[in-house]
Amino acid sequence: MKNTLKFSVLLFAGALLVWGAGITFALAQEEQAIKCGKVPAAVTAAFKTAYPKATIRDCSKEVEKDKVAYEISSIENKTHRDILYYEDGTVIVVEEAIPAGDLPEPVRLAIGKKYPRGPITLAERLTRNSAVTYEVRLKNKGKTLELIYDPEGKEVPD
């Protein structure tokens, strides 16, 4: 009986280690902070051309649709902006922080209807291939949710 219990405990501990390693690997695949000097010149040039007055805060490397991508986080005046680029300097998505009050009215109404007590902690305008969506982070029943809406207030799958 003791041996069976020890084996079960060891088996469970091993499963937790494997599961934890899988999560760590998945997180490492998502985004990895890097020195901005390691960002390809094409990405840096594209950023500086598009946002000449912005200050780069930090940089990261990730995989987007099976391709290496680089994110530049910046600030310009009071605007926080993250731009994700492919290695050749092609823009994938621009994420720009906005005040929650600047969300389109249909988006604000949809959020208010579904999450009437959920305070918005972050609002961003996302531009991908000239299509605009809005990402909202809010608290609901003790959990933090990240939701994406189109300009008409329809929730978009992530």
Side-chain angles (χ1 to χ4, degrees), residues 15-45:
L16 280 177
L17 284 173
V18 169
W19 178 74
I23 288 176
T24 303
F25 177 74
L27 290 174
Q29 288 288 86
E30 285 187 21
E31 192 170 311
Q32 178 184 17
I34 61 169
K35 292 183 179 183
C36 292
K38 299 284 186 184
V39 172
V43 171
T44 304

Side-chain angles (χ1 to χ4, degrees), residues 73-90:
S73 296
S74 66
I75 188 163
E76 184 174 349
N77 297 320
K78 293 182 180 180
T79 303
H80 292 264
R81 192 180 292 118
D82 294 342
I83 304 95
L84 188 62
Y85 296 92
Y86 286 122
E87 289 180 287
D88 65 359
T90 302

Side-chain angles (χ1 to χ4, degrees), residues 103 106-116 118 120 136 138 147 149:
L103 289 166
V107 174
R108 289 194 318 269
L109 290 172
I111 293 167
K113 185 176 180 180
K114 191 168 181 181
Y115 306 100
I120 295 173
V136 177
L138 59 86
L147 308 165
Y149 291 88

